Amino acid sequence: MSVLVYAESDQGIIKKIAQELISYGRALADQLGTTLYVAVMADVGTQNLAQYGAQQIVHIEHEALQSFSADAFAQAIAQSAKSVEAEVVLVSSSANSRYLAPMLAVGLDAAYVPNCTQLPLSTSPFQVTHSVYTNKAEATTEMTSAVKLIGLAKNAFGVSHFEGTAQTTSLTPDLNPSKCHVSATDRATDKVMIADAEIVVSAGRGLKGPENWHLIEDLAEVLGAATACSKPVSDLGWRPHSEHVGQTGKPVASNLYIAIGISGAIQHLAGINSSKVKVVINTDPEAPFFKAADYGIVGDAFDVVPELIEKLKQFKTLNA
Amino acid sequence: MEGIVYLYNEIKRVQNNSFPMKILVCISHVPDTTSKINFTDNNTKFDQNGVQYVINPNDEFGLTRALWFKEQQGASVHVITVGDAQCEPTLRKALAIGADEAIRVAVPATDGLVVAKALAQIVSEDDYDLIIAGRESLDYNGGMVPGMLAQLTGFAFVNTCIKLDIDHGKALAVREIDGGKETIEVALPLVIGGQKGLVEESDLRIPNMRGIMQARSKPLHVKELTPVASTATTLSYEKPAPKEAVTLVSGVDELIDLLHKEAKVL
Ligand SMILES: Cc1cc2nc3c(=O)[nH]c(=O)nc-3n(C[C@H](O)[C@H](O)[C@H](O)COP(=O)(O)OP(=O)(O)OC[C@H]3O[C@@H](n4cnc5c(N)ncnc54)[C@H](O)[C@@H]3O)c2cc1C
Ligand SMILES: Nc1ncnc2c1ncn2[C@@H]1O[C@H](COP(=O)(O)O)[C@@H](O)[C@H]1O
């Protein structure tokens, strides 16, 4: 019996969500009194994984795994899990992990519960809590399959630090070729991605027009943040669709979400409410966003944002 | 089972290169987002009181794309829901918008794997070329049924699909990835987890009188199945504690100070 984490990487570098997942996996392995195995693709160096809690490392080696392919990755992870007799398998909430997890669940004949927000309430019986109804409620679910697959919600568990080293074993999985062939990838590399961002700066119709978005971009730049927008803003063509967040757009689970000139309609909030700290800047004190936010300024974006940019620059120099 | 369905479809494709595709659209029947979420029976059941049910928005985009294949390429479109009789109005709505036939699988939708296994059973009894499901449903937010169904049937799978074109059994699908998109070439049979982008919002259809009348005489099959045992049982629900009131700040300096010292996010 053991716990296995699939730790995602990008060009050989372990992702931040994967560090978090390893720490979560270690806490769960300790709770179960067992060992934490961490499966990584072969291009990932293994030295530094022990610091997040890895005890054993499974290096997955296969040339078909050099770029992401959900069906091939799912097969490889299933075989790693079987090789270490994992009772619990853990994946993150990234787009790629959400893609492969259901296939992995079938491969392991495992019950799968995504969006888990904390460590299991109990491990015998095995009960987990996870968010449902677009974060409007939490459910407690009992998992009774022999192998259990858990998806950890974004930003739900911090990164912990451990001393020690981990041993590495290699595994070359036996793979059926992927059914899907990726013929083109189009990815902005210079911008902070909404999915990975610690801070997201988002603006709505209150900004009046696309010509004013330099304010949002400047603010995002000072903060190292991703930019986002409300749905009407992308519908009007002021910003690309990829920036649209909310129920019908991208979900956001950042540490800090700054909403500028966004009213805070329920469909908008549904997509951003798992962000930790929410700030609203709006001229209308009655805007519903004030009910959802932690901090708010009642004021005109065209006055507040330029000042905020200047003051943040000073703050950054002082705290550098 | 998966091998047989796959082979059958492969043979059919080789023999008969000219399509009309058979499309199955998986519909989940969900509370509208603006619904107030409440629980009853000591927080063990969802309170349906006053809740408006709709076709899951991601499924509505997929259904509308399926109807495009029907109108442009002569495809036939079946819609399917796993659930009790209360889901039937949602299926009727799909028929009124233009689907040809509806199937309700009379199995309680207790968890994703149970639903996927029930759907796989129905798929194995027919010869669908394309299964369109949604990226995730608004209620359980599992995002799991389409991928499980693909794995169970041996069909290929493209998730977070924002564009889909099909020509002679070959699909060209665009998938949203973190920070961009990728184009995927894949042969049918195929399952997609679809979302906005498959069609635009302005393409979505509202049932008209004629459609509603026609839907009454379209077939709605009810299939009884013995469900597999659930291995993930939800015991109870809890709503988050009411949030503390917002801290209103008068100026930018105070905001930066609070974000730094109190919230510790700067
Ligand atoms: C099925 C469905 C799905 C939807 N999905 C989404 C979704 O995913 N995401 C989403 O965002 N929306 C979604 N919506 C739309 C949503 O209901 C709202 O209409 C939308 O979020 C409003 O956008 P907004 O806040 O930018 O604009 P508005 O509602 O017009 O608000 C603009 C705000 O800016 C403020 N303002 C004006 N001038 C200034 C100024 N100078 N400085 C500061 N503040 C100012 C105003 O007081 C106002 O509060 C959906 C709707 C439906 C029906
Ligand atoms: N009970 C159901 N009946 C039919 N299709 C479903 C059902 N539940 C989920 N689906 C399909 O699977 C998709 C993802 O749902 P979920 O895995 O619940 O997030 C939905 O958008 C539907 O297309």
Side-chain angles (χ1 to χ4, degrees):
Chain A
M1 187 182 86
S2 66
V3 174
L4 179 96
V5 160
Y6 162 53
E8 261 166 284
S9 51
D10 188 16
Q11 292 168 8
I13 312 284
I14 284 288
K15 291 196 175 187
K16 162 103 193 302
I17 39 171
Q19 300 169 6
E20 221 178 301
L21 192 65
I22 296 171
S23 296
Y24 177 88
R26 175 61 178 270
L28 177 59
D30 289 348
Q31 193 178 346
L32 285 163
T34 181
T35 307
L36 175 65
Y37 286 82
V38 176
V40 289
M41 293 303 157
D43 58 342
V44 175
T46 49
Q47 314 313 337
N48 55 0
L49 299 181
Q51 66 175 310
Y52 310 120
Q55 292 171 309
Q56 297 277 343
I57 293 163
V58 183
H59 230 200
I60 304 178
E61 293 171 355
H62 198 294
E63 58 181 24
L65 301 172
Q66 279 169 3
S67 57
F68 179 77
S69 147
D71 49 355
F73 274 46
Q75 293 173 54
I77 300 163
Q79 287 172 34
S80 321
K82 284 177 184 159
S83 77
V84 303
E85 296 177 350
E87 185 199 2
V88 186
V89 178
L90 302 171
V91 293
S92 80
S93 294
S94 72
N96 285 351
S97 284
R98 294 296 304 256
Y99 186 2
L100 66 82
M103 292 192 268
L104 176 59
V106 171
L108 295 168
D109 202 21
Y112 166 42
V113 177
N115 299 324
C116 286
T117 47
Q118 56 185 25
L119 283 168
L121 293 180
S122 92
T123 54
S124 173
F126 202 94
Q127 295 180 349
V128 293
T129 50
H130 54 112
S131 65
V132 290
Y133 293 104
T134 45
N135 297 317
K136 285 188 261 183
E138 289 240 314
T140 298
T141 293
E142 184 163 318
M143 304 172 80
T144 52
S145 49
V147 180
K148 294 144 192 96
L149 178 61
I150 291 180
L152 183 64
K154 272 188 188 144
N155 244 327
F157 201 84
V159 178
S160 325
H161 290 277
F162 294 84
E163 302 283 335
T165 52
Q167 276 183 356
T168 303
T169 46
S170 303
L171 177 109
T172 305
D174 186 12
L175 300 178
N176 293 322
S178 171
K179 297 193 181 78
C180 297
H181 169 70
V182 177
S183 58
T185 304
D186 172 7
R187 190 166 164 195
T189 44
D190 53 332
K191 289 197 67 186
V192 183
M193 294 185 274
I194 293 175
D196 292 344
E198 303 272 327
I199 304 180
V200 173
V201 176
S202 187
R205 207 146 49 178
L207 234 72
K208 310 284 189 275
E211 65 281 6
N212 298 322
W213 242 264
H214 62 94
L215 286 174
I216 303 307
E217 286 181 337
D218 289 352
L219 179 57
E221 195 182 322
V222 197
L223 289 166
T227 51
C229 68
S230 68
K231 179 169 171 295
V233 165
S234 67
D235 287 346
L236 289 162
W238 296 358
R239 298 298 288 177
H241 280 293
S242 55
E243 285 198 1
H244 159 202
V245 297
Q247 178 211 309
T248 47
K250 284 207 174 68
V252 179
S254 54
N255 263 335
L256 174 59
Y257 183 80
I258 305 181
I260 302 163
I262 298 179
S263 57
I266 192 157
Q267 296 93 350
H268 184 87
L269 298 176
I272 62 97
N273 61 8
S274 48
S275 290
K276 285 226 172 91
V277 176
K278 282 152 277 192
V279 173
V280 53
I281 298 169
N282 197 309
T283 40
D284 176 8
E286 300 297 321
F289 214 116
F290 284 99
K291 291 216 167 60
D294 302 286
Y295 301 99
I297 294 185
V298 178
D300 190 322
F302 297 100
D303 301 330
V304 178
V305 177
E307 192 191 346
L308 188 56
I309 294 169
E310 282 317 308
K311 293 277 167 66
L312 277 170
K313 280 185 184 157
Q314 293 168 15
F315 172 84
K316 290 273 157 179
T317 351
L318 279 175
N319 289 274
Chain B
M1 174 177 78
E2 89 181 38
I4 295 168
V5 179
Y6 190 75
L7 266 182
Y8 181 80
N9 278 320
E10 284 304 299
I11 292 164
K12 183 178 136 189
R13 227 168 308 287
V14 174
Q15 286 175 339
N16 173 11
N17 209 357
S18 68
F19 253 64
M21 278 194 294
K22 258 183 112 163
I23 305 177
L24 182 67
V25 182
C26 302
I27 303 261
S28 80
H29 154 95
V30 297
D32 177 37
T33 3
T34 51
S35 308
K36 288 262 179 291
I37 302 294
N38 286 307
F39 301 96
T40 57
D41 291 14
N42 207 9
N43 280 335
T44 59
K45 286 211 175 65
F46 180 70
D47 183 358
Q48 302 193 336
N49 233 325
V51 170
Q52 180 85 27
Y53 279 87
V54 295
I55 299 179
N56 185 41
N58 288 321
D59 305 349
E60 198 178 351
F61 290 114
L63 172 61
T64 311
R65 187 64 188 164
L67 297 175
W68 185 91
F69 287 122
K70 173 179 163 165
E71 284 150 19
Q72 303 298 319
Q73 301 184 349
S76 63
V77 177
H78 293 180
V79 290
I80 189 165
T81 289
V82 178
D84 60 23
Q86 287 186 23
C87 305
E88 289 189 5
T90 303
L91 287 174
R92 287 276 173 219
K93 182 180 171 198
L95 292 171
I97 298 171
D100 301 307
E101 294 184 24
I103 305 164
R104 177 171 74 80
V105 186
V107 158
T110 44
D111 75 83
L113 201 51
V114 168
V115 171
K117 285 183 175 170
L119 291 169
Q121 172 81 41
I122 303 296
V123 170
S124 74
E125 292 165 3
D126 209 323
D127 55 350
Y128 293 106
D129 302 292
L130 173 65
I131 301 177
I132 298 183
R135 174 194 73 189
E136 72 171 20
S137 58
L138 280 187
D139 50 358
Y140 197 72
N141 302 125
M144 62 173 89
V145 170
M148 287 174 166
L149 179 57
Q151 190 72 15
L152 290 164
T153 52
F155 285 28
F157 176 47
V158 174
N159 203 18
T160 54
C161 184
I162 52 174
K163 206 164 176 293
L164 181 67
D165 286 297
I166 293 173
D167 189 25
H168 284 87
K170 286 226 162 61
L172 201 62
V174 179
R175 169 172 94 90
E176 188 171 67
I177 55 176
D178 288 342
K181 53 191 172 190
E182 67 186 19
T183 307
I184 294 175
E185 289 171 19
V186 55
L188 301 184
L190 169 69
V191 178
I192 66 156
Q195 61 187 56
K196 183 179 143 188
L198 280 177
V199 298
E200 288 312 316
E201 218 148 321
S202 51
D203 299 325
L204 297 179
R205 304 173 185 196
I206 296 162
N208 58 26
M209 218 18 156
R210 196 162 145 259
I212 295 168
M213 296 302 286
Q214 282 175 341
R216 288 196 189 146
S217 55
K218 287 181 181 173
L220 192 164
H221 313 277
V222 178
K223 302 245 182 174
E224 310 279 344
L225 288 185
T226 317
V228 297
S230 174
T231 51
T233 310
T234 296
L235 307 173
S236 63
Y237 297 91
E238 195 178 338
K239 292 211 286 181
K243 233 187 64 54
E244 280 178 38
V246 60
T247 305
L248 284 183
V249 296
S250 51
V252 163
D253 291 308
E254 194 187 346
L255 179 66
I256 295 175
D257 196 54
L258 285 168
L259 290 178
H260 178 53
K261 292 192 181 130
E262 188 177 88
K264 299 193 166 50
V265 288
L266 285 184

